[in-house]
Amino acid sequence: MPMNNRMNMTDKLGWNMNHRIRLHGNHGPLVITLHGGPGATGSAVRLAQGLSRDFQVIEPWQRPSGEIPLTVAVHIEDLHSLIRSRCKGEKPALVGSSWGAMLALAYAAEHSEAINGIALVGCGTFDKASREVIVQKRRLKIADYISKHPKHKADLQLDIGAQMMKWHWMTDAYEPLPIDDASLAPEPFDMQGHTETFQDMLRCQETGIYPQSFTSVTIPTIMLHGADDPHPGTMIRDTLKRYIPHLQYHEFPRCGHDPEIEKYAKDDFFAVMSSWLKEHCFKMNGAQQGV
């Protein structure tokens, strides 16, 4: 796509006017954080804030549902437009959380030349077996919780999807730190955007696009995963390593799906993340200039 069209696209999303985008930090190399969901707009803010001690961080809010059907390809093109229009020729690292980690991989499969590396935080799944493990772990944790809090017994009559949506804060965390600033709360969950995007990701997996295309990802890549995340870290790692043999893996004890909010893992998580980014993604570039 021509550069002018990319600029128009980021204008349309509001990123060029600093709408639906947040900037963190004023020194160091460039990092872009990608929120999860899909549709969990604003949920990467504490990840971005933690990285801003050592990096300049761009936190874009991904395209919402409405104007066009959302696909993986749409999100890839939006991200490419952002990098071309906002990074001034510098190569950022991508730090993706959950769905954002999947998007980072999909982007790198097409545009590795535009980025320095990718860090996958609580990465989503690329095979049916891993997804079945998530459902089973969440189902058991919900049932155990409700057995101790029988006032919620009626929730067991909900389908498992509705149960997981209602109780994800409990199933996916180990001991999360409280949100002490109301401005850090994410926007309302975009269920339509979630459904459209994730169904397309599943289609891409069923037709063999992912994870097979990840063989083209040759840039530095790391998974950072909580040991108590219902997403099975070692299973996801083993799947990805068949296509990305240089993939590194670091697991944090007493940690759920979002290490940046976990009481026992947060400090270690940011130390490991920052050290890895500096060593593997920016060692040849030095400190990059402003956003």
Side-chain angles (χ1 to χ4, degrees), residues 10-272:
T10 53
D11 281 342
K12 197 167 188 178
L13 290 170
W15 291 338
N16 285 347
M17 291 79 75
N18 289 341
H19 299 155
R20 298 185 60 80
I21 192 170
R22 291 188 281 214
L23 309 177
H24 308 265
N26 56 16
H27 67 279
L30 290 177
V31 170
I32 296 176
T33 56
L34 302 174
H35 66 70
T41 305
S43 62
V45 63
R46 290 200 277 183
L47 177 59
Q49 286 184 328
L51 290 168
S52 69
R53 292 190 292 266
D54 297 305
F55 306 97
Q56 296 177 83
V57 184
I58 304 174
E59 181 208 343
W61 294 5
Q62 294 161 34
R63 181 190 292 266
S65 60
E67 184 177 343
I68 60 172
L70 297 182
T71 64
V72 179
V74 166
H75 289 296
I76 289 173
E77 185 57 38
D78 285 349
L79 180 56
H80 197 49
S81 300
L82 175 72
I83 291 172
R84 293 292 298 272
S85 66
R86 293 296 295 253
C87 294
K88 301 178 182 178
E90 301 289 353
K91 291 185 179 183
L94 300 182
V95 177
S97 176
S98 192
W99 146 254
M102 303 173 80
L103 175 57
L105 283 165
Y107 180 84
E110 294 190 27
H111 299 292
S112 282
E113 78 290 344
I115 53 179
N116 274 330
I118 50 177
L120 315 173
V121 182
C123 187
T125 60
F126 291 94
D127 61 79
K128 185 177 180 180
S130 296
R131 287 191 289 278
E132 290 175 348
V133 169
I134 295 175
V135 172
Q136 184 65 9
K137 285 184 175 182
R138 285 173 168 163
R139 188 195 301 273
L140 291 174
K141 197 167 183 180
I142 291 168
D144 180 64
Y145 181 86
I146 292 178
S147 72
K148 298 170 185 175
H149 302 82
K151 65 181 180 179
H152 300 296
K153 186 176 180 181
D155 285 359
L156 293 176
Q157 304 307 311
L158 300 172
D159 67 71
I160 188 59
Q163 288 184 38
M164 291 191 298
M165 284 300 299
K166 180 173 182 178
W167 293 103
H168 71 89
W169 60 269
M170 182 270 295
T171 62
D172 286 19
Y174 184 81
E175 188 163 342
L177 295 164
I179 297 176
D180 54 8
D181 182 347
S183 69
L184 302 185
E187 285 194 334
F189 192 77
D190 183 358
M191 180 55 76
Q192 180 183 337
H194 170 85
T195 301
E196 290 177 356
T197 300
F198 202 71
Q199 286 302 311
D200 187 62
M201 169 54 79
L202 293 180
R203 180 193 63 79
C204 290
Q205 293 182 21
E206 291 165 0
T207 57
I209 298 173
Y210 306 127
Q212 287 86 338
S213 65
F214 298 158
T215 54
S216 64
V217 178
T218 58
I219 54 177
T221 307
I222 190 172
M223 279 183 68
L224 301 123
H225 216 87
D228 296 279
D229 188 342
H231 296 67
T234 54
M235 285 182 70
I236 297 167
R237 175 202 63 194
D238 291 348
T239 295
L240 291 177
K241 278 187 75 70
R242 293 200 289 269
Y243 305 94
I244 312 172
H246 61 280
L247 174 71
Q248 296 178 268
Y249 182 81
H250 192 102
E251 191 168 273
F252 300 92
R254 297 194 295 174
C255 178
H257 188 51
D258 300 293
E260 72 275 11
I261 67 170
E262 289 283 357
K263 177 179 178 180
Y264 300 110
K266 176 184 175 183
D267 291 345
D268 189 26
F269 166 73
F270 280 115
V272 171

